[in-house]
Amino acid sequence: MTQSAHDLLTSGDGKLSLHYFSIEGVAEQVRITLSVAGIPFDDIRVPFSEWQTKKPTTKYGQLPEMILPNGQLITESMAMLRLAGEADPEGKLYPADVGKRLQIEEALGLTADLSRAWRPALYIGMRPEKLGHPKSADWAKEEKDATVKKLREAFLAEELPRYMGYYADMIKEAGGNAFLLGEDLTIADIAAYQGLNYYRKGVADYVPADCLEPYPDVVAFLKRVEEHPKVAAYKASKA
């Protein structure tokens, strides 16, 4: 018997739970989508101080992990996002229509491409050895800082404008006054919102919180996502 996504997330002896650190990270898009879809879940925040103890108990040595009410373990955040979107009783977050899903997948791919373009500039500050440099503890601070600054400023000057142009075009093609693919909020909007809003937080050195201001169409889109009644309700519950 085929089981619906809604039933999978709500039926069983237990309660749906999502396990991640006490940060937004890759789990926040899943939290928002579950909330918009009206799916109750336990939002389990794992303290960083407990991670080394918990890590060996996870399937792949990483979070997030989702445990369904029937006890099944889900490990990949994008699988969680799609499952939560499909559980939307209104059928808008991840519609059954193949053509609409194709558009959503293209938009999700764009957000993933932007994240991939940013990754070297991010990891140069966090794990420079992954990019062929000394570990942070072994790298002269002045040289490391100069390298971080160079990569991140290059990203802001070259990659970010290119991707903002792609998003602006997508928004305009969808009508210009709603979401990436039209009037209805989808998981593509939620993923893009999380991916883009990161750059406005001012948490990365040499990436100013106003770096998206030159892209008014994108900023307006982010505001529309934030003001969606169900997204706003979720954010208010976490304030």
Side-chain angles (χ1 to χ4, degrees), residues 144-158:
K144 178 189 173 184
D145 288 348
T147 305
V148 170
K149 183 174 186 290
K150 179 180 179 181
L151 263 66
R152 293 184 178 175
E153 288 183 346
F155 171 83
L156 293 177
E158 299 166 12

Side-chain angles (χ1 to χ4, degrees), residues 67-121:
I67 301 177
L68 303 182
N70 65 8
Q72 182 179 348
L73 175 68
I74 309 297
T75 59
E76 295 298 327
S77 61
M78 293 306 294
M80 299 173 197
L81 178 67
R82 291 180 174 92
L83 178 62
E86 187 158 344
D88 176 21
E90 296 182 10
K92 295 178 179 179
L93 288 173
Y94 196 45
D97 179 85
V98 173
K100 291 180 180 178
R101 283 202 176 182
L102 180 59
Q103 290 180 306
I104 289 172
E105 292 299 332
E106 288 180 329
L108 288 172
L110 180 62
T111 297
D113 289 344
L114 173 59
S115 177
R116 194 176 300 111
W118 162 245
R119 199 167 295 150

Side-chain angles (χ1 to χ4, degrees), residues 189-233:
D189 299 299
I190 295 171
Y193 171 81
Q194 281 302 120
L196 294 169
N197 201 47
Y198 165 81
Y199 301 104
R200 301 196 296 177
K201 292 180 178 294
V203 295
D205 291 340
Y206 311 111
V207 180
D210 63 354
C211 67
L212 297 189
E213 292 305 311
Y215 315 106
D217 291 333
V218 173
V219 172
F221 157 73
L222 296 176
K223 188 172 187 289
R224 289 192 291 273
V225 175
E226 288 177 336
E227 292 179 347
H228 184 282
K230 292 181 179 179
V231 176

